[in-house]
């Protein structure tokens, strides 16, 4: 039977899911219902495959692992030993330097986006698609409307540096951003909806 993906690749994807689920097991997203954190990396990998048509195993595995260095005790060496050097480097490209303050980290994401590898740009784009959807439909508890709008604006600046790699993903990002702004309004226009 022709499956388009051999058994070894499927096994690698499942190992990444198992590893990421174990690492994120005690974490929750910031939405009101405190959704399990692992939903997010699974969604990012699913958007890459199902919206972007991305079949490259390393990209999908790195998407599943993309927040493990930043948000868990996972070391780059541990990722390399289990998933290989390319995956380790991709996840490192996705990881902010947590010694810097948050505003500086956000500024650096915008600055660094254009110099990311092509695969990291795709993961970054899928990550922003998922976070725009979350900020629109399942926002962090207690975020006022202004902060949600500013977050959408910031993703647009990061995504500007990640374009020209996958038209379907970019069109999808543009669509979810437009929907988000229709629901929340734009930061630069002002609204009485706050
Ligand atoms: P944060 O960086 O604090 O939070 C957003 C990140 O949280 C997302 O990028 C996402 O990252 C993760 N996340 C988890 N759950 C959700 C969810 N349900 N919806 C969306 N994202 C989720 O937010 P800001 O970028 O707004 O803040 C950056 C800095 O600015 C902080 O220091 C903050 O205190 C400060 N600040 C900003 C204000 C503003 O108006 N923008 C107001 C007050 C303070 P991932 O994909 O990695 O999980
Ligand atoms: Zn993420």
């Amino acid at each position: 039977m022709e499956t388009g993906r051999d058994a070894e690749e499927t096994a690698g994807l499942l190992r990444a899911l198992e590893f990421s689920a174990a690492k994120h097991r005690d974490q929750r997203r910031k939405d009101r219902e405190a959704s399990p954190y692992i939903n997010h990396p699974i969604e990012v990998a699913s958007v890459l495959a199902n919206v972007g048509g991305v079949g490259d195993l390393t990209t999908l595995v790195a998407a599943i692992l993309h927040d493990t260095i930043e948000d868990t005790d996972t070391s780059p060496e541990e990722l390399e030993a289990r998933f290989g050097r390319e995956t380790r480097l991709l996840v490192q490209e996705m990881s902010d330097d947590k010694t810097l303050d948050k505003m500086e980290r956000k500024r650096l994401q915008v600055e660094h986006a254009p110099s990311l590898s092509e695969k990291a740009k795709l993961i970054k784009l899928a990550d922003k698609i998922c976070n725009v959807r979350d900020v629109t439909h399942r926002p962090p508890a207690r975020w006022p409307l202004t902060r949600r709008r500013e977050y959408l604006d910031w993703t647009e600046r990061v995504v500007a540096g990640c374009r020209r790699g996958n038209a379907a993903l970019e069109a999808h990002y543009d669509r979810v951003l437009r929907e988000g702004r229709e629901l929340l309004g734009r930061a630069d226009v002002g609204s009485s909806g706050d």
Side-chain angles (χ1 to χ4, degrees):
M1 186 177 64
E2 180 56 66
T3 60
R5 186 182 291 289
D6 67 22
E8 204 177 313
E9 288 199 336
T10 305
L13 265 183
L14 291 171
R15 277 194 300 115
L17 284 168
E18 188 179 16
F19 180 87
S20 190
K23 290 292 189 175
H24 289 298
R25 68 187 178 281
D26 295 325
Q27 295 172 336
R28 295 289 178 274
R29 298 293 282 172
K30 298 171 180 170
D31 59 295
R32 207 183 304 275
E33 292 174 1
S35 314
Y37 197 92
I38 189 64
N39 292 6
H40 167 70
I42 292 173
E43 193 184 347
V44 172
S46 178
V47 162
L48 281 166
N50 290 296
V51 177
V54 174
D56 175 66
L57 183 78
T58 311
T59 308
L60 298 176
V61 164
I64 291 167
L65 301 170
H66 81 271
D67 280 328
T68 56
I69 292 180
E70 195 174 294
D71 293 335
T72 78
D73 63 2
T74 306
S75 68
E77 294 73 22
E78 194 178 359
L79 288 184
E80 182 163 340
R82 285 173 183 263
F83 301 103
R85 185 161 181 78
E86 192 186 3
T87 301
R88 169 224 176 120
L89 293 173
L90 266 177
V91 176
Q92 282 187 290
E93 283 191 275
M94 291 295 295
S95 303
D96 290 351
D97 177 352
K98 280 201 144 179
T99 65
L100 303 173
D101 78 54
K102 275 197 166 186
M103 293 312 283
E104 176 68 357
R105 281 149 57 182
K106 291 182 81 74
R107 194 186 65 74
L108 286 173
Q109 279 204 37
V110 176
E111 192 177 302
H112 291 162
S115 48
L116 292 175
S117 67
E118 292 309 309
K119 290 177 182 180
K121 283 182 183 175
L122 296 185
I123 301 170
K124 186 68 88 173
L125 189 48
D127 190 34
K128 296 311 181 228
I129 286 170
C130 294
N131 284 339
V132 166
R133 292 202 302 217
D134 281 352
V135 162
T136 302
H137 299 290
R138 304 167 274 285
R142 292 185 303 276
W143 275 27
L145 206 45
T146 46
R147 184 164 177 184
R148 293 163 70 190
R149 290 177 185 142
E150 283 167 16
Y151 187 91
L152 299 192
D153 289 351
W154 169 72
T155 67
E156 194 175 30
R157 294 195 293 278
V158 178
V159 165
C162 300
R163 288 188 185 268
R164 285 191 283 280
N166 185 306
L169 280 180
E170 288 164 40
H172 192 69
Y173 171 80
D174 293 337
R175 197 154 52 240
V176 298
L177 181 68
R178 192 166 59 243
E179 284 166 9
R181 284 178 169 156
E182 278 165 16
L183 281 164
L184 306 180
R186 295 183 68 126
D188 58 0
V189 175
S191 157
S192 56
D194 236 7

